[in-house]
Amino acid sequence: MRDTHQHPLNQLPQFGALSRHAQQARGWQLAELFREDPSRAARFTLEAAGLCLDYSKNHLNEETIRLLTTFAQARGVESLRDAMFRGDRINLSEQRAVLHTALRLPPEARLSVEGEELVGGIQQELGRMALFAERVRQGDWKGYTGREIMDVVNIGIGGSDLGPMMTVAALRAYAHPRLRFHFLSNVDGHATTATLAELDPATTLFIVASKSFTTQETMLNAHAARRWFLQHAKETDLAAHFVAVSTNTSAVTAFGIAADNMFPFRDWVGGRFSIWSSIGLSLLIAIGIDHFREFLSGGHAMDEHFQHAPLHANMPVMLALLGFWYREFFETSSQLIAPYHEDLRHFPAYLQQLEMESNGKRVTRDGKPMSMKTAPVIWGSAGTNNQHAYFQMLHQGTDLIPVDFIAALKPQHDLIDQQRALMANCFAQAEALMNGVQDPSLPPHRIFPGNRPSTMLLMDQLSPASLGTLIALYEHKTFVLGALWDINSFDQWGVELGKTMALRILAELEGSESAGQHDSSTNALITRARSALK
Ligand code: F6P
């Protein structure tokens, strides 16, 4: 089915055609392309599932799209996509299916994978979560003194933190007014003590979120929270204040959390794709089941579009093709994400894990060395603060950095003058990056070269549904890029080495292992820390 993958990517004839075309495209001026074609914006704008993607301010024409989509076809993007939705074990190194998309299927849908019907079980688990969340929201879930829950603390890291943290912030306008949410992820005790200092044990609910339930940071934080709680309450009170979200039932039980207080999910949900699963429990408590279902539906709407739209009119495919185009043919090394919505301020960090943990790989799916560069650095923060920090470099620096601007037109407040100013800044940046200033009467430091690409992603309003659609869009973009590069986007072995070595050094810092087995730099660092931490 994907026999083109037997060849190094850059030896494919479709890649050669793209490469030759790119030589011309590198000489194009974006402003000139607009002057030549008054309908350029309409020609290169896509609408799908309530999102509008204007990708006209990019270095491309219709031939570029034709060559890129032909290349995507040759790379088997469509057949791999279908295999993912079908539940084939496309995560080869872990022999797992990749089925986060099943979590957002409508309740009446059916999906049978390896003889098991999945949707019934998914809906049943969601129902359990919803009942629990409703009790917390209504104040019926009581703490050990009989008071209602006021603070919810999600303890988790990576995919077990970024999704809940990003979405709870993004849907702040929909959150329950009584409840405050906290996210404890880092193993740094400064964060732990600062968070616990804000809390009252009698009214705090801890959600220990960990797919593996073995992650060092999460376990240390969970134990610290447990010790802090037991300074105020009894062991038998734990059940009212600690719940777990995990795939590892035995480890949850060993921690002291009863099965009734555990919300499981399956191993076919990857950490960075897990916000749709019980890892989303804090979001569900924040926004309630009706809004959570809208969030799932928003994700599903993008799944439908991704599965059925032709490649040239397919939004996640287009975002991925743009990413591939710049990375391979314009030698870009980073991609900026610029949300012009304060509540989306954590979205760039969320995408960092999604894209860099998925596609930051150096071998192909069958273990051959990559013949070209893979995931770029993903970075960014909310506008307009970004403009007053690092946009100088985008306009006049020496690197070409493609930008994704993300904006919601209608605000969730009544300061319309501010919303107009926010949108004006967003659109102005895209225009300024493209047009620059080339007036020869100006001194060199006043010249802006322009011709710098950007993509504009608009939604009507930031809502549970549009947020779900937005996340699914980038998930599928990441998937398509992985397919183009022939990468397994669903494992993360690169994180393991550091974890193992940290455990070894920890034993040396604790004094239980003899130090001195490292290079002279690491030995000296350990010696210093060991004496400081005696
Ligand atoms: O950083 C590696 C990683 O495995 C991520 O992929 C994952 O999201 C995170 O650690 C947390 O893992 P867990 O949910 O098992 O605690």
Side-chain angles (χ1 to χ4, degrees), residues 389-461:
Y390 48 76
F391 266 50
Q392 162 64 36
M393 178 188 165
L394 301 188
H395 289 288
Q396 289 187 312
T398 49
D399 284 62
L400 188 73
I401 301 174
V403 186
D404 281 4
F405 290 100
I406 303 173
L409 293 171
K410 295 188 190 136
Q412 284 138 320
H413 56 73
D414 52 13
L415 304 175
I416 298 302
D417 51 343
Q418 294 206 7
Q419 179 66 8
R420 287 202 186 104
L422 186 69
M423 291 302 99
N425 273 280
C426 179
F427 302 158
Q429 287 301 320
E431 196 178 22
L433 284 166
M434 177 171 81
N435 288 338
V437 176
Q438 291 94 12
D439 184 345
S441 68
L442 288 171
H445 63 269
R446 302 285 304 272
I447 300 293
F448 293 63
N451 211 26
R452 305 201 163 188
S454 68
T455 302
M456 186 68 63
L457 184 58
L458 293 182
M459 61 190 92
D460 195 41
Q461 191 164 48

Side-chain angles (χ1 to χ4, degrees), residues 204-241:
T204 298
L205 175 73
F206 292 98
I207 301 174
V208 187
S210 174
K211 180 173 172 179
S212 59
F213 226 76
T214 57
T215 303
Q216 183 194 44
E217 292 91 334
T218 304
M219 290 303 110
L220 281 168
N221 272 324
H223 281 286
R226 191 177 191 273
R227 279 196 306 275
W228 170 84
F229 179 79
L230 290 176
Q231 286 165 9
H232 308 272
K234 302 186 299 295
E235 289 257 350
T236 48
D237 299 325
L238 280 166
H241 293 269

Side-chain angles (χ1 to χ4, degrees), residues 115-170:
E116 183 189 357
E117 205 296 303
L118 295 182
V119 183
I122 290 168
Q123 290 300 320
Q124 201 180 347
E125 197 44 47
L126 181 59
R128 263 190 80 222
M129 283 165 61
L131 277 179
F132 171 71
E134 217 34 51
R135 288 181 67 191
V136 174
R137 287 166 62 82
Q138 298 296 327
D140 296 339
W141 182 276
K142 304 286 189 209
Y144 67 95
T145 63
R147 289 163 61 198
E148 59 190 13
I149 298 297
M150 302 294 289
D151 291 276
V152 177
V153 186
N154 187 83
I155 302 180
I157 198 163
S160 301
D161 166 63
L162 287 162
M165 179 187 64
M166 184 275 284
T167 54
V168 168

